[in-house]
Amino acid sequence: MPARTTSPDRPAPAPDPVVDGHPGRLTELRIRGLGSIDDATLELGSGLTVVTGETGAGKTMVVTGLTLLFGGRADPGRVRASGKAGVEGRLVLPPESPAWERAADAGADPDDDGSLILARTVSAEGRSRAFLGGRSVPVGVVAELSEGLLAVHGQTDQLRLSRPAEQRRALDRYAGPAHLALLDRYREAHGRWRELAADLERRHTQARELAQAADVLRHGLEEIEAVGPEPGEDESLDTQAKRLSDADALRAAADEARMALVGDVTGDLGGEEAPQDATAALAIAERALAGSDDPTLVLLAQDLADAVAVVSDVAGQLAGYVADLDADPARLAEVLDRRAAITALVRKFAGPGEGLAGVLAWAEDAAGRLAELDVSDEALEALAAARDAARADVDDLAAQLSAGRRAAAEGFAAEVGAELAGLAMKSASVSFSIDSHPDDPGPDGIDDVVLLLAPHPGAPPRPVHKGASGGELSRVMLAIEVVFAGADPVPVMVFDEVDAGVGGQAAGEIGRRLARLARDHQVVVVTHLAQVAAFADTHLVVDKSPDTDAGVTATDIRAVEDEDRVRELARMLSGLSDSDTGQAHARELLAVAATARG
C-alpha cells in the first residue's frame, strides 16, 4: 500500500497516539474471504480514516471485519465460497494500557515490534476461533478486551437510541461513574426487596403446604439428633467391631510373632518347646563378629546390634497391643447396636455411596430449608420487617437516582442542542421528560425518561422518534453519539454510515465533528458523503470488479491521495470522477476542510 504523504489540499495527519500519550490505535487490518472481500490489507493511520466506495462494493465489510476481530458475533453467511474467512489486526498500545494485563492473563505475548496481534477465523459451518498474541483464546476473552479498545457507532445504534429505555440508559451514562455506581446499588437493593416480598407472599399463600413440608424436615432432624452421629464415626465403628470380633485371633497372631522375636520371656507361652528366638540368634551373631579385629566385621557387628534393638522394640509394641486387646462381648454388642442405628440413618437420608457424610449433609441442608419454611407468626413478622426496611432503602436510593437524572438531563440536553446547532438545526431544541412513579419502583428506578425534540421555535416538544424526520433523527442521534464519544475512553472508534439522510451544510459539520474526535481517538468512518470524506487523514476506497474465475464480485481496497483522492470525491459528488466541475468542487471541499482543521 502506498505511503501517505502530505499535500497542500489536506492538513498533516494527526500525531501518533502512542508517541503523544494517546490510548493507542489499530495500524493494520487484513480481511480474507469475508463477503465480497477476497484478500485485502488496510493500513490505518492515526486520526480520521474514511472508507468510501460505490454502493455494493463492500464498504460495510470493513466494519464487519473490525467487529468480528474484536469478538463480535460470527455470521457464517458472510463467508465466501472458499469456506473460511479470517481477520487479522495489529494494535499499538501504550505500556500502561489495561489491555496488556488482560492479554497477559490469557497467555498472549507482544509481537517483536511491541504490538499486539489479534486474529479471528470463521468457517462456512459457523465454527469460529480467536487468537490473541499468538495464543488461541476463547472469543469471550477478545470481546472482553475490546470493551476498552473499540466502540462501533452505526445506524443500529440510532434505532436503539430512539427507544425510551435506551434514552434512560444514555442519560444514566452521561451522568457519570458516581451515578452509575448509585444505579448498581439501587438495583441490588431492588432485587433484595423483591426477593423478600416474594418470600413473604409465598409463605402467606402456601402456609399449609409449607407447614407440612417443615414437619417432614423437622421430624427427620429430630431423628438424626436422637442418634447424634459424628463425622467419620461409621468408619471408626467398623474398625472397632472388627477388632472386638477378632480379638482371640489377633492375640494369638501377636503372641506368636512376639515369641519368634524374643522367645517366651514370661513362661506363659509354652516356651519350653519354642525354637530359638530372633533376638538370641542376632545376639550370637553380633558377639561372634564383635571380637574380630577386622574393621568390616566390626561395622557389621554394629549393624547387628542395631537390629537387636529394633527387634526388641517391635516385641515391646506387640506386648502392649496384646495388653490393650480386650475380648469384651458387652462392648462388641454396644458397637454393633450403634453401627446399626447409623446404618438406618444412612439408608433413610443419604444417597447411594454417600455414607454418614450424606446424612450430615442432609441435616445441614434441612436446617437451612426449615428456616425458609417457617410460617410462624414470629417468622412472618420478622420477614415483613426486613421487607419494609429493604423497601425504605429502595425508596431512598430511587430518590437519589431520580435527582441525579434530572440534574444530568439539563446538561445533556444543552450539549446535544449545541451539536445540533452545528448540524444545520440551529432552531431545534431538545429536552427530557422525566415522569417519576415513587409507588412503583422498577429494576432501573422510578423514572420514565423520554428525549423530546422541538424542531423549531413554537413547535411543541415531542418524543424524538415521533417528532423528527428521517434526516433530523439521524442528526439528533449523531449529536448524541458525538456527545458520548468525546468522553469515551476507547482508542478506536468506528462510525458506520451514521450520516445517512444528511446532506448539505450539515454533512460538512459532521465531518468537522468527526475530525475533532480524531484529535483524541483513532476514528474510522464508512461514509457516502464527500463533505465528510474531505476531512480525512487517510482515505481508503473500496473498489469492486467481477472475478471471472470465481464468478463473483471481488473487492479491492486502496488508499487514495492527491489527484486520485480528488477524483474519488468528484465521483461521490457527481457520479463522474473525471468531471471538471466535480473535481473543482472536490478541491474546494478539501481546501475548506484544511482551513477548518487548521
Side-chain angles (χ1 to χ4, degrees), residues 583-593:
Q583 291 187 13
H585 191 184
R587 290 188 175 89
E588 182 180 359
L589 284 178
L590 290 171
V592 169

Side-chain angles (χ1 to χ4, degrees), residues 63 75 100 108 197 201 241 319 361 441 519 540 565:
V63 178
D75 182 2
W100 283 121
E201 182 178 0
R519 296 174 187 169
L540 303 177
R565 189 179 184 201

Side-chain angles (χ1 to χ4, degrees), residues 124-319:
E125 294 78 24
R127 292 189 298 272
S128 173
R129 297 185 65 189
F131 302 86
L132 181 64
R135 299 292 182 91
S136 178
V137 297
V139 175
V141 171
V142 180
E144 180 183 341
L145 191 77
S146 72
E147 292 179 2
L149 297 177
L150 177 77
V152 178
H153 307 269
Q155 295 184 52
T156 301
D157 298 283
Q158 293 184 6
L159 294 174
R160 175 176 53 81
L161 282 170
S162 67
R163 304 179 189 130
E166 293 297 333
Q167 292 168 10
R168 182 183 58 224
R169 292 188 181 94
L171 182 58
D172 287 335
R173 179 182 164 196
Y174 176 84
H179 179 84
L180 292 175
L182 177 65
L183 178 58
D184 288 339
R185 289 173 53 202
Y186 170 84
R187 286 171 174 162
E188 291 177 3
H190 183 270
R192 175 63 178 160
W193 166 62
R194 293 303 306 158
E195 288 178 2
L196 291 171
D199 190 12
L200 182 61
E201 182 178 0
R202 178 179 64 91
R203 297 198 197 193
H204 277 300
T205 58
Q206 302 178 16
R208 181 177 179 181
E209 294 85 349
L210 296 178
Q212 292 174 345
D215 285 341
V216 173
L217 294 177
R218 194 176 295 109
H219 179 74
L221 287 172
E222 291 173 353
E223 192 172 344
I224 294 173
E225 290 171 1
V227 176
E230 297 293 334
E233 186 179 358
D234 51 347
E235 297 177 358
S236 175
L237 290 172
D238 286 342
T239 302
Q240 291 182 55
K242 182 172 180 58
R243 177 175 293 183
L244 289 167
S245 299
D246 299 340
D248 292 337
L250 295 173
R251 179 184 292 108
D255 282 337
E256 182 180 356
R258 182 163 62 92
M259 186 170 65
L261 293 177
V262 296
D264 187 6
V265 295
T266 62
D268 57 358
L269 298 178
E272 64 278 358
E273 298 179 359
Q276 185 180 29
D277 59 85
T279 304
L282 290 171
I284 293 172
E286 187 266 335
R287 285 194 300 271
L289 298 179
S292 173
D293 293 333
D294 185 273
T296 300
L297 295 180
V298 170
L299 291 175
L300 292 174
Q302 182 59 50
D303 290 342
L304 288 172
D306 293 340
V308 171
V310 171
V311 168
S312 297
D313 182 62
V314 172
Q317 293 184 47
L318 286 172

Side-chain angles (χ1 to χ4, degrees), residues 5-25:
T5 60
T6 301
S7 72
D9 292 326
R10 66 182 168 96
D16 190 295
V18 176
V19 174
D20 294 338
H22 289 217
R25 66 185 178 97

Side-chain angles (χ1 to χ4, degrees), residues 1 30 43 59-60 79 95 114 207 246 318 359 374 392 447 488 501:
M1 185 164 294
R30 183 183 181 188
E43 294 184 2
K59 299 187 297 296
T60 302
V79 179
D246 299 340
L318 286 172
V359 175
D374 192 349
D447 304 315
D488 205 323

